[in-house]
Amino acid sequence: LDVAIIRNVNELLESNQRYKSMSTKNIANAVSKAVFHPDFAQGVAFDQIIIEAKKWLRENVFNPVSILKQMDIRGGTLNYEGIAVLNDVENAAYRGNKRRNRNRVLCTPACLQRVADALEAEAATICPFNRIQTEYGEGIEFDYAKVTRQVINAFGLEEEAKTRPINISASIDASRVTKNIHQTASGLKMTDIRGKDPLKKLKSFLTDENSLQDLQSRNNVFILKIFSRKRPKIHSCSLMICILP
């Protein structure tokens, strides 16, 4: 039946000169309005059309990996509780029925958590880290060599690193999160002018003027060690970076 419907619509558009003269945009608008009209196919297909639209959005726009990426980048402005609220909004709007909905636009917090666990397990093989307890507080420490290698590869310098030294700077910063909690982070910063910006489709820092300005961006800083403590204490931090060819 679906093939027959497509064929009939195509034949309709080809049979009338008026339709042939319509712009592609106008044809698209007319067809989409017809498909989403409650009376289309005597109204029997409306709910399923909505389901298919939600499925496309869920797979191509609001997929779990993309949502988790933006949650991570934006630093806690959207959490699992916020996703649950949006789920309730969708459920309540669906004929006012809060029954279990298997065809959501946004996946549930439980689904996001499962995907997050899988991503973390995969990331642990690429860039592992350990929890550490030091005299300066509790924190985490990444594998220096693996992080450095991943950063070099991300900036398109993998081959050049085999023949010449790569310019990478050490970076350290401290901040007071709350009145009694202080945080210190150290890491590396890609400052090699022959690198290619991974956030701008690998545009060269050397040849692209806008990318060159971003060479000093915080986006080029990668944390190797971070720890926090309840009370501040004057101390020194050292960072050793090993770059392997």
Side-chain angles (χ1 to χ4, degrees):
L1 178 60
D2 55 335
V3 175
I5 292 173
I6 294 173
R7 182 174 62 251
N8 289 336
V9 171
N10 290 338
E11 291 176 354
L12 175 64
L13 295 175
E14 291 293 333
S15 64
N16 192 305
Q17 186 61 38
R18 177 185 176 185
Y19 300 152
K20 290 181 180 179
S21 63
M22 293 175 62
S23 66
T24 302
K25 181 179 179 180
N26 289 338
I27 292 176
N29 287 337
V31 173
S32 60
K33 287 180 180 179
V35 171
F36 278 91
H37 195 283
D39 293 334
F40 179 76
Q42 299 178 350
V44 298
F46 183 76
D47 287 346
Q48 191 61 38
I49 289 171
I50 298 299
I51 289 174
E52 290 297 323
K54 287 183 177 183
K55 179 181 178 181
W56 187 93
L57 289 171
R58 188 170 60 250
E59 293 178 352
N60 296 279
V61 181
F62 300 108
N63 59 77
V65 173
S66 297
I67 294 174
L68 289 169
K69 179 180 179 180
Q70 292 303 320
M71 289 172 64
D72 187 41
I73 290 175
R74 298 179 184 277
T77 56
L78 177 62
N79 54 25
Y80 291 130
E81 291 183 2
I83 295 294
V85 170
L86 294 176
N87 287 155
D88 289 342
V89 171
E90 182 178 0
N91 288 341
Y94 192 75
R95 293 183 177 178
N97 190 348
K98 292 187 177 182
R99 62 183 172 80
R100 187 176 181 183
N101 186 356
R102 292 182 177 273
N103 298 289
R104 307 174 186 272
V105 174
L106 296 177
C107 56
T108 63
C111 173
L112 284 176
Q113 188 63 62
R114 288 194 298 271
V115 176
D117 291 342
L119 289 174
E120 289 178 3
E122 179 67 21
T125 64
I126 300 173
C127 190
F129 67 89
N130 295 313
R131 298 183 183 276
I132 57 175
Q133 184 68 49
T134 72
E135 59 181 307
Y136 308 123
E138 181 182 5
I140 60 174
E141 184 176 36
F142 289 89
D143 186 305
Y144 291 1
K146 287 190 175 182
V147 170
T148 305
R149 191 183 296 275
Q150 290 292 334
V151 170
I152 290 175
N153 294 349
F155 282 82
L157 295 169
E158 181 177 4
E159 294 301 320
E160 292 199 37
K162 297 177 181 179
T163 59
R164 68 171 181 86
I166 302 298
N167 188 17
I168 296 180
S169 303
S171 178
I172 186 169
D173 189 29
S175 62
R176 186 170 65 180
V177 181
T178 67
K179 181 179 180 180
N180 297 318
I181 298 179
H182 294 247
Q183 174 183 284
T184 304
S186 60
L188 58 84
K189 185 174 186 178
M190 173 57 70
T191 54
D192 197 292
I193 197 171
R194 293 188 179 276
K196 298 177 181 179
D197 192 345
L199 297 179
K200 292 190 174 181
K201 299 181 179 180
L202 293 178
K203 290 185 177 180
S204 173
F205 289 127
L206 186 62
T207 59
D208 185 74
E209 181 179 352
N210 293 328
S211 292
L212 183 60
Q213 295 174 358
D214 293 335
L215 188 60
Q216 296 300 320
S217 170
R218 65 180 181 180
N219 293 329
N220 297 335
V221 178
F222 301 88
I223 293 177
L224 293 176
K225 180 187 291 186
I226 184 171
F227 55 86
S228 61
R229 61 178 293 117
K230 289 186 177 181
R231 293 183 179 180
K233 181 179 179 181
I234 299 176
H235 58 270
S236 60
C237 296
S238 61
L239 173 65
M240 296 180 63
I241 300 177
C242 176
I243 302 178
L244 303 178

